[in-house]
Amino acid sequence: MPYSDLHRALAQTFLLQPTITAKEAKKIIASLEAAEAGPNHEGDLRPITDAIVSGYIADLNEELSKFDFEIRNMRDQKDRGTIYAFVNSTPDTLIQSATHHSADEIAFFRRLLDAMFETNNTRRAEVFAVREQEALHLNKNPPRAEGEATATGGLTIKGAEEALAAFVEEGWLVKSRNNWYSLAPRGLLELSVYLNQTYTDSDDEEDASDDDEEYHARKRIKKCHACSELLTVGQRCEKLSCDVRMHEPCAVSFFRINKDKKCPRCKTTWTGKESVGEAAAGKLRRHVQKRAAVPTRQKRREETVEEGEEEQEEEEQQQQRQQEAEEDDDE
Ligand SMILES: [Zn+2]
Ligand SMILES: [Zn+2]
């Protein structure tokens, strides 16, 4: 289809909203086509199908690619509905596509990502989220080493609060009922390349084979086994060294067909009770207790992890011993 005023109006709509669902896109296109047809041609209007939406998006992307922009889509991790977002396709311009954040705010955003994808994403606890209190205390820029240009101090707590609110408003982050921040669809769509480049250990990439479970378990960015899209919330295999993850609705569909209810890779029984996301936060502290064994850079980051409730301690230690015993059996 030739690029028309209708395309321009549609691109404008995408630009102004953080994300648009497939259903909303159909409505918008229907009203744009109706406006173009004029008041006396309602009878000629066609129903807007998925294929028509995809056609328009393809037209827009051809034009937008000249300016390093793109409309990407993913399926919602919880309801699997299609979501579109207007993104900057150059991975090094972190969250700058349609926003005007200061360097300090962007640096704060990077630290939030580190908290979600490193500090709070351990082998046992893939939380991919950061609690509000923890987030606010990432407000300051770390001091530079001697001889380097002086870093600015960073944000005040109030500045961090405002930045967090803006990141939510703009669709980069979503805040849960329990005050955890995680990446929203727009953030996931725009940052997918950045996340893979930044948080996947590439040290031993050369000699890792596709079947090396250990290797996959150390890759910080997870994909759904069923749909292959990024996964930051869902279910995981019970076996700690196995890298199979699935979105909840994807797991439901998968095990409707695969009735044995076993992990497709390691054949461990799939209970659906091991979570990825905020629901896995209870497992973070146990990892902190073991931090003496982890390298310094990671250790420094993990010291910011919040301590849990005292009364849970004994029970958790017992669970940990049990889990470690099971883990030893695994490996
Ligand atoms: Zn999936
Ligand atoms: Zn498995």
Side-chain angles (χ1 to χ4, degrees), residues 39-62:
N40 300 319
H41 297 273
E42 281 95 352
D44 306 337
L45 294 175
R46 54 181 182 170
I48 305 300
T49 60
D50 290 337
I52 292 172
V53 176
S54 304
Y56 274 113
I57 303 281
D59 292 343
L60 292 184
N61 278 340
E62 204 181 314

PDB file of all heavy atoms in Angstrom, residues 39-62:
ATOM      1  N   PRO A  39     -18.439  10.560   5.044  1.00  0.00           N
ATOM      2  CA  PRO A  39     -19.686  10.247   5.752  1.00  0.00           C
ATOM      3  C   PRO A  39     -20.684   9.405   4.949  1.00  0.00           C
ATOM      4  O   PRO A  39     -21.511   8.735   5.522  1.00  0.00           O
ATOM      5  CB  PRO A  39     -20.269  11.627   6.079  1.00  0.00           C
ATOM      6  CG  PRO A  39     -19.585  12.577   5.156  1.00  0.00           C
ATOM      7  CD  PRO A  39     -18.249  12.004   4.842  1.00  0.00           C
ATOM      8  N   ASN A  40     -20.618   9.422   3.626  1.00  0.00           N
ATOM      9  CA  ASN A  40     -21.650   8.717   2.858  1.00  0.00           C
ATOM     10  C   ASN A  40     -21.229   7.321   2.407  1.00  0.00           C
ATOM     11  O   ASN A  40     -21.856   6.720   1.552  1.00  0.00           O
ATOM     12  CB  ASN A  40     -22.052   9.545   1.640  1.00  0.00           C
ATOM     13  CG  ASN A  40     -22.596  10.896   2.069  1.00  0.00           C
ATOM     14  OD1 ASN A  40     -23.351  10.980   3.042  1.00  0.00           O
ATOM     15  ND2 ASN A  40     -22.186  11.945   1.384  1.00  0.00           N
ATOM     16  N   HIS A  41     -20.130   6.830   2.960  1.00  0.00           N
ATOM     17  CA  HIS A  41     -19.619   5.547   2.461  1.00  0.00           C
ATOM     18  C   HIS A  41     -19.489   4.488   3.546  1.00  0.00           C
ATOM     19  O   HIS A  41     -18.686   3.570   3.417  1.00  0.00           O
ATOM     20  CB  HIS A  41     -18.268   5.762   1.764  1.00  0.00           C
ATOM     21  CG  HIS A  41     -18.378   6.639   0.568  1.00  0.00           C
ATOM     22  ND1 HIS A  41     -18.693   6.156  -0.686  1.00  0.00           N
ATOM     23  CD2 HIS A  41     -18.263   7.980   0.430  1.00  0.00           C
ATOM     24  CE1 HIS A  41     -18.745   7.169  -1.547  1.00  0.00           C
ATOM     25  NE2 HIS A  41     -18.488   8.295  -0.897  1.00  0.00           N
ATOM     26  N   GLU A  42     -20.280   4.617   4.624  1.00  0.00           N
ATOM     27  CA  GLU A  42     -20.180   3.645   5.722  1.00  0.00           C
ATOM     28  C   GLU A  42     -20.367   2.214   5.217  1.00  0.00           C
ATOM     29  O   GLU A  42     -19.763   1.284   5.720  1.00  0.00           O
ATOM     30  CB  GLU A  42     -21.220   3.926   6.827  1.00  0.00           C
ATOM     31  CG  GLU A  42     -20.839   5.059   7.759  1.00  0.00           C
ATOM     32  CD  GLU A  42     -21.446   6.382   7.330  1.00  0.00           C
ATOM     33  OE1 GLU A  42     -22.036   6.424   6.229  1.00  0.00           O
ATOM     34  OE2 GLU A  42     -21.335   7.364   8.092  1.00  0.00           O
ATOM     35  N   GLY A  43     -21.231   2.060   4.217  1.00  0.00           N
ATOM     36  CA  GLY A  43     -21.531   0.733   3.686  1.00  0.00           C
ATOM     37  C   GLY A  43     -20.333   0.066   3.022  1.00  0.00           C
ATOM     38  O   GLY A  43     -20.269  -1.160   2.940  1.00  0.00           O
ATOM     39  N   ASP A  44     -19.361   0.864   2.552  1.00  0.00           N
ATOM     40  CA  ASP A  44     -18.208   0.300   1.837  1.00  0.00           C
ATOM     41  C   ASP A  44     -17.100  -0.162   2.776  1.00  0.00           C
ATOM     42  O   ASP A  44     -16.111  -0.731   2.327  1.00  0.00           O
ATOM     43  CB  ASP A  44     -17.593   1.354   0.891  1.00  0.00           C
ATOM     44  CG  ASP A  44     -18.645   1.933  -0.054  1.00  0.00           C
ATOM     45  OD1 ASP A  44     -19.664   1.238  -0.264  1.00  0.00           O
ATOM     46  OD2 ASP A  44     -18.438   3.050  -0.546  1.00  0.00           O
ATOM     47  N   LEU A  45     -17.245   0.115   4.081  1.00  0.00           N
ATOM     48  CA  LEU A  45     -16.126  -0.157   4.990  1.00  0.00           C
ATOM     49  C   LEU A  45     -15.922  -1.655   5.192  1.00  0.00           C
ATOM     50  O   LEU A  45     -16.875  -2.423   5.268  1.00  0.00           O
ATOM     51  CB  LEU A  45     -16.367   0.526   6.340  1.00  0.00           C
ATOM     52  CG  LEU A  45     -16.369   2.059   6.266  1.00  0.00           C
ATOM     53  CD1 LEU A  45     -16.734   2.642   7.618  1.00  0.00           C
ATOM     54  CD2 LEU A  45     -15.022   2.590   5.793  1.00  0.00           C
ATOM     55  N   ARG A  46     -14.654  -2.037   5.283  1.00  0.00           N
ATOM     56  CA  ARG A  46     -14.332  -3.456   5.474  1.00  0.00           C
ATOM     57  C   ARG A  46     -14.056  -3.722   6.949  1.00  0.00           C
ATOM     58  O   ARG A  46     -13.574  -2.831   7.665  1.00  0.00           O
ATOM     59  CB  ARG A  46     -13.092  -3.821   4.646  1.00  0.00           C
ATOM     60  CG  ARG A  46     -11.903  -2.896   4.963  1.00  0.00           C
ATOM     61  CD  ARG A  46     -10.688  -3.238   4.144  1.00  0.00           C
ATOM     62  NE  ARG A  46      -9.567  -2.365   4.506  1.00  0.00           N
ATOM     63  CZ  ARG A  46      -8.326  -2.546   4.094  1.00  0.00           C
ATOM     64  NH1 ARG A  46      -8.033  -3.565   3.302  1.00  0.00           N
ATOM     65  NH2 ARG A  46      -7.371  -1.727   4.462  1.00  0.00           N
ATOM     66  N   PRO A  47     -14.335  -4.935   7.421  1.00  0.00           N
ATOM     67  CA  PRO A  47     -13.935  -5.267   8.794  1.00  0.00           C
ATOM     68  C   PRO A  47     -12.407  -5.364   8.859  1.00  0.00           C
ATOM     69  O   PRO A  47     -11.783  -5.880   7.923  1.00  0.00           O
ATOM     70  CB  PRO A  47     -14.585  -6.629   9.050  1.00  0.00           C
ATOM     71  CG  PRO A  47     -14.932  -7.174   7.706  1.00  0.00           C
ATOM     72  CD  PRO A  47     -15.003  -6.040   6.736  1.00  0.00           C
ATOM     73  N   ILE A  48     -11.821  -4.841   9.929  1.00  0.00           N
ATOM     74  CA  ILE A  48     -10.354  -4.832  10.042  1.00  0.00           C
ATOM     75  C   ILE A  48      -9.877  -6.156  10.643  1.00  0.00           C
ATOM     76  O   ILE A  48     -10.170  -6.471  11.790  1.00  0.00           O
ATOM     77  CB  ILE A  48      -9.872  -3.643  10.901  1.00  0.00           C
ATOM     78  CG1 ILE A  48     -10.420  -2.315  10.339  1.00  0.00           C
ATOM     79  CG2 ILE A  48      -8.350  -3.599  10.968  1.00  0.00           C
ATOM     80  CD1 ILE A  48     -10.009  -1.998   8.911  1.00  0.00           C
ATOM     81  N   THR A  49      -9.145  -6.911   9.854  1.00  0.00           N
ATOM     82  CA  THR A  49      -8.634  -8.216  10.303  1.00  0.00           C
ATOM     83  C   THR A  49      -7.192  -8.071  10.804  1.00  0.00           C
ATOM     84  O   THR A  49      -6.561  -7.031  10.610  1.00  0.00           O
ATOM     85  CB  THR A  49      -8.620  -9.210   9.132  1.00  0.00           C
ATOM     86  OG1 THR A  49      -7.753  -8.663   8.119  1.00  0.00           O
ATOM     87  CG2 THR A  49     -10.010  -9.415   8.557  1.00  0.00           C
ATOM     88  N   ASP A  50      -6.673  -9.149  11.401  1.00  0.00           N
ATOM     89  CA  ASP A  50      -5.266  -9.169  11.828  1.00  0.00           C
ATOM     90  C   ASP A  50      -4.342  -8.905  10.641  1.00  0.00           C
ATOM     91  O   ASP A  50      -3.337  -8.211  10.764  1.00  0.00           O
ATOM     92  CB  ASP A  50      -4.912 -10.544  12.424  1.00  0.00           C
ATOM     93  CG  ASP A  50      -5.596 -10.767  13.762  1.00  0.00           C
ATOM     94  OD1 ASP A  50      -5.955  -9.766  14.420  1.00  0.00           O
ATOM     95  OD2 ASP A  50      -5.776 -11.940  14.142  1.00  0.00           O
ATOM     96  N   ALA A  51      -4.705  -9.468   9.484  1.00  0.00           N
ATOM     97  CA  ALA A  51      -3.855  -9.322   8.297  1.00  0.00           C
ATOM     98  C   ALA A  51      -3.791  -7.860   7.853  1.00  0.00           C
ATOM     99  O   ALA A  51      -2.735  -7.379   7.428  1.00  0.00           O
ATOM    100  CB  ALA A  51      -4.387 -10.200   7.169  1.00  0.00           C
ATOM    101  N   ILE A  52      -4.924  -7.150   7.968  1.00  0.00           N
ATOM    102  CA  ILE A  52      -4.931  -5.727   7.581  1.00  0.00           C
ATOM    103  C   ILE A  52      -4.037  -4.929   8.533  1.00  0.00           C
ATOM    104  O   ILE A  52      -3.235  -4.098   8.104  1.00  0.00           O
ATOM    105  CB  ILE A  52      -6.378  -5.172   7.565  1.00  0.00           C
ATOM    106  CG1 ILE A  52      -7.152  -5.828   6.412  1.00  0.00           C
ATOM    107  CG2 ILE A  52      -6.379  -3.650   7.425  1.00  0.00           C
ATOM    108  CD1 ILE A  52      -8.638  -5.515   6.389  1.00  0.00           C
ATOM    109  N   VAL A  53      -4.140  -5.229   9.843  1.00  0.00           N
ATOM    110  CA  VAL A  53      -3.279  -4.546  10.820  1.00  0.00           C
ATOM    111  C   VAL A  53      -1.812  -4.807  10.474  1.00  0.00           C
ATOM    112  O   VAL A  53      -1.009  -3.879  10.374  1.00  0.00           O
ATOM    113  CB  VAL A  53      -3.581  -5.016  12.268  1.00  0.00           C
ATOM    114  CG1 VAL A  53      -2.618  -4.371  13.258  1.00  0.00           C
ATOM    115  CG2 VAL A  53      -5.024  -4.691  12.649  1.00  0.00           C
ATOM    116  N   SER A  54      -1.471  -6.080  10.246  1.00  0.00           N
ATOM    117  CA  SER A  54      -0.081  -6.430   9.926  1.00  0.00           C
ATOM    118  C   SER A  54       0.394  -5.712   8.670  1.00  0.00           C
ATOM    119  O   SER A  54       1.553  -5.293   8.586  1.00  0.00           O
ATOM    120  CB  SER A  54       0.068  -7.938   9.711  1.00  0.00           C
ATOM    121  OG  SER A  54      -0.383  -8.620  10.838  1.00  0.00           O
ATOM    122  N   GLY A  55      -0.503  -5.578   7.696  1.00  0.00           N
ATOM    123  CA  GLY A  55      -0.153  -4.884   6.454  1.00  0.00           C
ATOM    124  C   GLY A  55       0.220  -3.431   6.712  1.00  0.00           C
ATOM    125  O   GLY A  55       1.248  -2.951   6.229  1.00  0.00           O
ATOM    126  N   TYR A  56      -0.602  -2.754   7.501  1.00  0.00           N
ATOM    127  CA  TYR A  56      -0.299  -1.358   7.841  1.00  0.00           C
ATOM    128  C   TYR A  56       1.024  -1.253   8.610  1.00  0.00           C
ATOM    129  O   TYR A  56       1.841  -0.373   8.355  1.00  0.00           O
ATOM    130  CB  TYR A  56      -1.424  -0.752   8.693  1.00  0.00           C
ATOM    131  CG  TYR A  56      -2.565  -0.169   7.886  1.00  0.00           C
ATOM    132  CD1 TYR A  56      -3.827  -0.738   7.923  1.00  0.00           C
ATOM    133  CD2 TYR A  56      -2.372   0.966   7.093  1.00  0.00           C
ATOM    134  CE1 TYR A  56      -4.884  -0.207   7.192  1.00  0.00           C
ATOM    135  CE2 TYR A  56      -3.420   1.506   6.352  1.00  0.00           C
ATOM    136  CZ  TYR A  56      -4.675   0.914   6.404  1.00  0.00           C
ATOM    137  OH  TYR A  56      -5.705   1.450   5.684  1.00  0.00           O
ATOM    138  N   ILE A  57       1.223  -2.168   9.573  1.00  0.00           N
ATOM    139  CA  ILE A  57       2.454  -2.113  10.380  1.00  0.00           C
ATOM    140  C   ILE A  57       3.679  -2.311   9.479  1.00  0.00           C
ATOM    141  O   ILE A  57       4.691  -1.622   9.620  1.00  0.00           O
ATOM    142  CB  ILE A  57       2.443  -3.201  11.491  1.00  0.00           C
ATOM    143  CG1 ILE A  57       1.209  -3.059  12.387  1.00  0.00           C
ATOM    144  CG2 ILE A  57       3.732  -3.176  12.306  1.00  0.00           C
ATOM    145  CD1 ILE A  57       1.238  -2.004  13.426  1.00  0.00           C
ATOM    146  N   ALA A  58       3.561  -3.237   8.525  1.00  0.00           N
ATOM    147  CA  ALA A  58       4.679  -3.476   7.604  1.00  0.00           C
ATOM    148  C   ALA A  58       4.977  -2.221   6.784  1.00  0.00           C
ATOM    149  O   ALA A  58       6.140  -1.843   6.607  1.00  0.00           O
ATOM    150  CB  ALA A  58       4.362  -4.658   6.695  1.00  0.00           C
ATOM    151  N   ASP A  59       3.908  -1.547   6.304  1.00  0.00           N
ATOM    152  CA  ASP A  59       4.095  -0.290   5.558  1.00  0.00           C
ATOM    153  C   ASP A  59       4.796   0.755   6.424  1.00  0.00           C
ATOM    154  O   ASP A  59       5.730   1.425   5.987  1.00  0.00           O
ATOM    155  CB  ASP A  59       2.738   0.299   5.131  1.00  0.00           C
ATOM    156  CG  ASP A  59       2.035  -0.559   4.089  1.00  0.00           C
ATOM    157  OD1 ASP A  59       2.706  -1.401   3.463  1.00  0.00           O
ATOM    158  OD2 ASP A  59       0.806  -0.389   3.919  1.00  0.00           O
ATOM    159  N   LEU A  60       4.311   0.890   7.662  1.00  0.00           N
ATOM    160  CA  LEU A  60       4.889   1.893   8.563  1.00  0.00           C
ATOM    161  C   LEU A  60       6.360   1.582   8.826  1.00  0.00           C
ATOM    162  O   LEU A  60       7.206   2.469   8.803  1.00  0.00           O
ATOM    163  CB  LEU A  60       4.140   1.931   9.904  1.00  0.00           C
ATOM    164  CG  LEU A  60       2.706   2.455   9.922  1.00  0.00           C
ATOM    165  CD1 LEU A  60       2.192   2.510  11.357  1.00  0.00           C
ATOM    166  CD2 LEU A  60       2.603   3.841   9.297  1.00  0.00           C
ATOM    167  N   ASN A  61       6.649   0.297   9.059  1.00  0.00           N
ATOM    168  CA  ASN A  61       8.028  -0.064   9.397  1.00  0.00           C
ATOM    169  C   ASN A  61       8.994   0.192   8.252  1.00  0.00           C
ATOM    170  O   ASN A  61      10.149   0.540   8.478  1.00  0.00           O
ATOM    171  CB  ASN A  61       8.100  -1.516   9.864  1.00  0.00           C
ATOM    172  CG  ASN A  61       7.714  -1.645  11.328  1.00  0.00           C
ATOM    173  OD1 ASN A  61       7.763  -0.656  12.071  1.00  0.00           O
ATOM    174  ND2 ASN A  61       7.324  -2.832  11.744  1.00  0.00           N
ATOM    175  N   GLU A  62       8.498   0.042   7.026  1.00  0.00           N
ATOM    176  CA  GLU A  62       9.363   0.322   5.884  1.00  0.00           C
ATOM    177  C   GLU A  62       9.779   1.790   5.909  1.00  0.00           C
ATOM    178  O   GLU A  62      10.940   2.127   5.704  1.00  0.00           O
ATOM    179  CB  GLU A  62       8.605  -0.006   4.599  1.00  0.00           C
ATOM    180  CG  GLU A  62       9.533  -0.301   3.441  1.00  0.00           C
ATOM    181  CD  GLU A  62       8.755  -0.599   2.174  1.00  0.00           C
ATOM    182  OE1 GLU A  62       7.776  -1.380   2.255  1.00  0.00           O
ATOM    183  OE2 GLU A  62       9.116  -0.038   1.128  1.00  0.00           O
TER     184      GLU A  62
END
